[in-house]
Amino acid sequence: MPIDPICKKIVPEDSPCNTEYGGKKYHFCSDWCQVKFEHLEKSVIRMKRSIPEKERISFGKLRKDIIKQGICTLCGACAASCESIAIKNDQPTLVDKCTACGVCYNQCPRTITTEEGLIGKLRNAYSARSALPDIKGQDGGVVTAMLSYALDEGLIDCAIVTKRSEEEPWKPVPMIARTCEELLDSSGSMYSHSMTMNALMSAIKQGWRSIAFVGPSCNIDAVTKMQKSPYGFLNLFMRANILKMGLFCMDTFNFEGIKEFVESKNIRLEDVESMKIRKGQFEFHTPEELKVYPLHELDMYRSSSCKFCTDMAAENADISFGGVGTPQGWTTVIARSGLGYELYNEAVDNGYIDSHLLEEKEMKGALNLAKMKKIQMYSLNRRQNI
C-alpha cells in the first residue's frame, strides 16, 4: 500500500488524491496533503538530482589537448605523478602502458578538468523549451517564457532585455520590458553588443525594485561588480533585487561590420529574419532562403574584447541559457543560484516551460564549447573541435 509522503499514513491505491512527479506516482490521504506536497516536496526531489560522473581520462587526451597544441609548460607534473610518463625531447612522452587513471591530466596546470572549471558552479542543468504556444524563440524561447512567468506572478517589476532597432535593422537596443508583449519584441539572438547597463540604471532610478537582467557574461560581470563594489551606487543597488539571467556567448561582432558583410553578399539586412551561429557557421535566414557562411569570414568584425574573454556560459549569473548541446528548438539551461534554480522550476511546474535533465551527451557539447572559449587565451590560431 502506498504511503502519503506528507503525513506518512497508509493510503489506498485508488485514492482520488494523487499526482505524478519525476517519473513516480504519489498518493495522498487528503487534498491538504497533496497541496503541501506541491509546495514543499517537489523542491526536495529537485535537490536530490545530480549530473552523472564523467569518464576516465587517458594520456592521449593530454597529448591532444595540451602537448600537441604547444601549451605544455614543461613543469613535469605529469611525469612526476605517473611512472608511465617521462620527459623526452622537451615534451611529455608515454613510455609504458597507460591505465587511463587521469592523474596526468588532472595534475597539468593547463587543463580544466571539472564541469565547474568550464562552466562555473551549478545546481542543475536542463534541456528546455517554452511550453507556451505564442512563445517559441530561436533556441526554445525559455528566457522569454521564464520572464513571462515572473511578470505574470508579480515576482519581478520589469526585465532588462534587448530588441532590434526600428530605425536600423538588427542594431541592438536595450529596453525595460514590463509586459509579455514587450518581451516578445526582444526574442531572438543578436550578435552585437547592447548597452544594457544604461537601461538597468534607468530602471533602478525609476523605482523598480525587482528586476530581471538579461545579457552575456561581460554584462553579467558588470552587474556583479557593481553589486559587490558599489562605489557611489550604494543607494541604488541596496534598493534593487536583480535576477541575473546570462546568455551563452562565444563571439560578438561590430554592428557596422555585420551590416557590411551582409550587404557584400547581396542581402538586405532588413530582409534577414533571424541569425544563428551553429557549428562554425553563421546562418542568415531570409523569407526566401537560408544563407550560410564560414564563421571565420567575419573574424575581421569580431569585437576585440571577445578575444580576451574566457567565459562562455555567464558563470556569474543566477541562471544561464544557450543553444549549445541540446537539439534545435531546445535550450540548455544551467541553474546556478538558489534564486535562479527555484524560479526556473516554478516556471516549469506552472506549465510555462517543458524541461528535462540535461543528458550527458548534451552536457558534453556545452563543455566542449566552453573549453574552446577557455583556451583561446593560449593563442590558438583557429577554432577546432576538442
Side-chain angles (χ1 to χ4, degrees):
M1 298 288 284
I3 297 177
D4 188 316
I6 299 299
C7 67
K8 308 304 180 184
K9 293 180 180 179
I10 296 177
V11 184
E13 289 189 2
D14 59 354
S15 171
C17 301
N18 60 78
T19 187
E20 289 191 8
Y21 189 75
K24 183 178 179 181
K25 190 169 185 178
Y26 295 87
H27 300 263
F28 308 92
C29 69
S30 64
D31 291 338
W32 186 88
C33 283
Q34 185 171 350
V35 170
K36 292 292 289 185
F37 176 88
E38 293 288 340
H39 286 84
L40 299 175
E41 288 300 308
K42 284 185 177 181
S43 297
V44 176
I45 293 172
R46 291 198 294 260
M47 290 288 288
K48 292 181 179 179
R49 293 172 176 166
S50 62
I51 298 175
E53 294 183 2
K54 299 302 173 186
E55 60 187 358
R56 303 173 79 184
I57 301 171
S58 70
F59 176 79
K61 185 167 179 60
L62 182 72
R63 181 168 50 216
K64 178 183 177 182
D65 290 359
I66 307 299
I67 301 170
K68 285 189 174 181
Q69 302 295 348
I71 55 178
C72 172
T73 66
L74 280 177
C75 67
C78 56
S81 58
C82 179
E83 295 179 353
S84 297
I85 302 172
I87 304 297
K88 290 188 175 183
N89 300 321
D90 290 331
Q91 74 173 27
T93 305
L94 190 65
V95 296
D96 203 349
K97 183 179 179 180
C98 175
T99 61
C101 66
V103 171
C104 63
Y105 199 87
N106 279 278
Q107 302 307 311
C108 176
R110 285 288 189 249
T111 60
I112 306 170
T113 58
T114 64
E115 290 178 353
E116 183 174 323
L118 288 169
I119 57 174
K121 294 182 179 179
L122 58 87
R123 295 284 293 274
N124 237 327
Y126 308 90
S127 177
R129 65 183 178 185
S130 167
L132 304 177
D134 56 339
I135 299 176
K136 293 305 175 187
Q138 184 160 304
D139 291 313
V142 177
V143 175
T144 305
M146 186 170 165
L147 289 173
S148 296
Y149 169 73
L151 281 175
D152 288 346
E153 292 296 310
L155 299 174
I156 59 173
D157 298 318
C158 63
I160 308 303
V161 294
T162 298
K163 68 173 184 177
R164 304 180 206 172
S165 168
E166 295 179 3
E167 291 76 27
E168 298 183 77
W170 287 99
K171 185 173 185 178
V173 176
M175 66 177 293
I176 303 172
R178 300 204 64 235
T179 66
C180 293
E181 289 73 20
E182 290 175 332
L183 288 177
L184 289 173
D185 288 339
S186 69
S187 63
S189 298
M190 284 178 277
Y191 295 95
S192 299
H193 281 301
S194 175
M195 302 295 181
T196 48
M197 293 304 298
N198 284 337
L200 175 62
M201 297 298 285
S202 177
I204 297 174
K205 291 175 181 178
Q206 290 178 47
W208 306 124
R209 294 294 172 251
S210 185
I211 304 171
F213 179 90
V214 181
S217 61
C218 50
N219 293 15
I220 295 295
D221 290 348
V223 176
T224 302
K225 196 163 187 178
M226 294 179 83
Q227 287 175 314
K228 292 182 177 180
S229 305
Y231 290 109
F233 297 112
L234 177 66
N235 290 328
L236 292 175
F237 279 88
M238 285 297 288
R239 288 177 168 81
N241 296 309
I242 303 173
L243 172 70
K244 294 176 289 187
M245 302 175 69
L247 304 175
F248 288 8
C249 180
M250 283 293 286
D251 293 304
T252 61
F253 302 87
N254 179 276
F255 167 71
E256 294 298 333
I258 292 180
K259 182 178 180 181
E260 178 181 311
F261 179 82
V262 169
E263 291 176 350
S264 73
K265 303 298 184 182
N266 297 317
I267 305 172
R268 297 199 317 160
L269 198 56
E270 53 266 36
D271 291 338
V272 176
E273 295 182 338
S274 65
M275 297 181 186
K276 175 78 174 181
I277 294 178
R278 189 200 310 273
K279 297 181 179 179
Q281 306 286 324
F282 208 135
E283 301 177 359
F284 298 92
H285 294 256
T286 68
E288 292 78 24
E289 59 185 330
L290 168 63
K291 296 279 190 176
V292 181
Y293 304 97
L295 188 57
H296 66 78
E297 289 189 18
L298 287 94
D299 277 350
M300 68 177 70
Y301 308 117
R302 187 184 184 199
S303 299
S304 59
S305 62
C306 294
K307 298 175 183 178
F308 303 95
C309 175
T310 59
D311 181 2
M312 183 277 291
E315 296 173 25
N316 284 320
D318 292 296
I319 185 167
S320 301
F321 308 84
V324 179
T326 44
Q328 188 170 359
W330 290 77
T331 304
T332 296
V333 180
I334 299 176
R336 304 187 185 280
S337 71
L339 181 61
Y341 175 83
E342 288 297 330
L343 183 55
Y344 171 79
N345 281 286
E346 284 290 330
V348 172
D349 289 345
N350 283 277
Y352 283 71
I353 297 171
D354 291 330
S355 173
H356 61 261
L357 288 176
L358 201 68
E359 297 179 6
E360 183 173 350
K361 63 180 180 180
E362 295 172 328
M363 175 60 86
K364 188 175 181 179
L367 294 176
N368 283 344
L369 196 65
K371 178 176 258 186
M372 292 176 67
K373 189 76 168 174
K374 292 290 185 186
I375 67 173
Q376 71 175 359
M377 288 289 283
Y378 295 159
S379 299
L380 296 180
N381 294 322
R382 61 187 177 86
R383 295 176 176 87
Q384 56 188 312
N385 293 325
I386 297 176

